[in-house]
């Protein structure tokens, strides 16, 4: 089965700093999703990447898909306390209906 | 437009009790899934459905039953609750193949089995 490994597991940054979260797949990626979760809440969809080299941005968050490396990175520029939460990457297992997820990266942004 | 609605939000059960976690969506989505989220384990797929009358097992199906009699509803049944089923449960739905559209998630049900 496909596994998604996220790094780092947790991250503490000072407000205004840039940061990167990585998601590496054990198998070929047919699409990669990034979600954000605040404590006690559901997952909020951030963006979906489907093609190698694809890069998408939403406000100060940019994600990129490296198909050859079977990896995606999520970059936050000039972090703010509102960016705090758990970031999860997800992928369709073998292109099927099953979405599998990484274990998440917990981000803390100190004012 | 309510999206994906899960009830209840919180529940405490005694070992051996049964209960049903409700999930309803009003977006006419064909695909629906149940996940559980545990510390250090991430989200794990329990069961999923690709349409009314069709269900299949995910990664951790033991101890759970599902049915999909309508497009809107996808209840998750715990037949005999065990402490190992203490978790946060999320229901999710997608218009079509999640590989194309991703999932919309409910806000979760926090279940404690004592």
């Amino acid at each position: 089965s496909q596994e998604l490994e996220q790094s780092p597991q947790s991250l503490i940054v000072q407000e205004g700093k840039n940061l990167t979260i990585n998601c590496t797949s054990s198998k070929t990626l047919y699409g990669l999703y990034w979600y954000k979760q605040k404590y006690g809440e559901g997952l909020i969809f951030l963006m979906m990447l489907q093609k190698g080299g694809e890069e998408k941005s939403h406000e100060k968050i940019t994600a990129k898909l490296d198909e050859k490396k079977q990896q995606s990175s999520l970059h936050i520029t000039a972090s703010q306390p509102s960016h705090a939460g758990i970031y999860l990457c997800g992928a369709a297992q073998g292109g099927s209906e099953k979405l599998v997820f990484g274990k998440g990266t917990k981000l803390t942004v100190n004012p | 437009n309510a999206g994906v609605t899960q009830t209840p939000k919180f529940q405490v059960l005694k070992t051996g009790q049964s209960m049903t976690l409700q999930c309803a969506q009003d977006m006419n989505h064909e695909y629906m899934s149940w996940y559980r989220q545990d510390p250090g384990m991430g989200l794990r797929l329990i069961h999923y459905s690709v349409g009314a009358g069709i269900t299949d097992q995910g990664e951790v199906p033991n101890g759970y039953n599902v049915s999909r009699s309508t497009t809107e509803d996808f209840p998750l049944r715990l037949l005999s609750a065990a402490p190992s089923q203490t978790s946060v449960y999320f229901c999710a739905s997608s218009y079509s193949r999640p590989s194309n559209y991703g999932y919309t998630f409910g806000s979760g049900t926090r279940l404690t089995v004592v």
Side-chain angles (χ1 to χ4, degrees):
Chain A
S1 62
Q2 185 171 21
E3 292 185 357
L4 296 175
E5 185 172 338
Q6 288 187 236
S7 62
Q9 290 184 335
S10 64
L11 195 53
I12 301 173
V13 300
Q14 206 65 30
E15 183 177 358
K17 295 294 185 183
N18 302 335
L19 62 105
T20 299
I21 298 169
N22 293 306
C23 175
T24 303
S25 173
S26 61
K27 295 188 177 182
T28 301
L29 284 168
Y30 291 93
L32 195 288
Y33 307 85
W34 284 100
Y35 286 84
K36 179 186 175 184
Q37 183 181 27
K38 289 195 170 183
Y39 180 75
E41 300 180 13
L43 279 69
I44 306 287
F45 173 77
L46 292 176
M47 57 192 84
M48 175 176 70
L49 304 166
Q50 287 189 300
K51 299 176 184 177
E54 187 174 13
E55 185 173 310
K56 288 187 176 179
S57 293
H58 174 70
E59 297 179 345
K60 293 186 178 180
I61 301 175
T62 301
K64 188 172 182 180
L65 180 63
D66 187 331
E67 215 168 48
K68 289 182 181 178
K69 290 184 179 179
Q70 297 179 176
Q71 185 179 66
S72 177
S73 58
L74 184 92
H75 184 77
I76 298 178
T77 303
S79 58
Q80 300 170 355
S82 61
H83 288 128
I86 299 173
Y87 290 82
L88 295 104
C89 63
Q93 191 170 27
S96 73
E97 298 84 5
K98 299 181 184 180
L99 276 189
V100 295
F101 288 87
K103 294 182 180 181
T105 295
K106 182 179 179 182
L107 173 63
T108 303
V109 181
N110 291 325
Chain B
N1 192 344
V4 178
T5 302
Q6 291 184 237
T7 56
K9 290 191 182 301
F10 302 93
Q11 183 70 49
V12 178
L13 285 180
K14 292 183 179 179
T15 297
Q17 285 185 319
S18 63
M19 81 159 294
T20 300
L21 307 186
Q22 301 291 345
C23 176
Q25 51 88 12
D26 61 357
M27 300 173 283
N28 201 31
H29 284 178
E30 287 296 323
Y31 289 74
M32 296 185 75
S33 289
W34 276 103
Y35 289 87
R36 60 177 288 174
Q37 186 177 37
D38 303 291
M41 301 294 291
L43 281 167
R44 292 183 291 172
L45 181 64
I46 305 172
H47 285 285
Y48 69 102
S49 169
V50 300
I54 306 170
T55 63
D56 204 348
Q57 296 181 349
E59 182 184 355
V60 288
N62 292 340
Y64 307 95
N65 277 355
V66 292
S67 60
R68 184 95 181 270
S69 56
T70 67
T71 300
E72 294 78 19
D73 300 299
F74 191 42
L76 179 72
R77 297 183 186 84
L78 282 71
L79 302 177
S80 179
S84 61
Q85 294 179 304
T86 293
S87 186
V88 181
Y89 291 85
F90 288 101
C91 178
S93 72
S94 176
Y95 172 71
S96 182
R97 293 178 66 90
S99 55
N100 293 333
Y101 292 89
Y103 270 124
T104 299
F105 281 81
S107 58
T109 294
R110 189 173 294 271
L111 176 68
T112 301
V113 182
V114 298

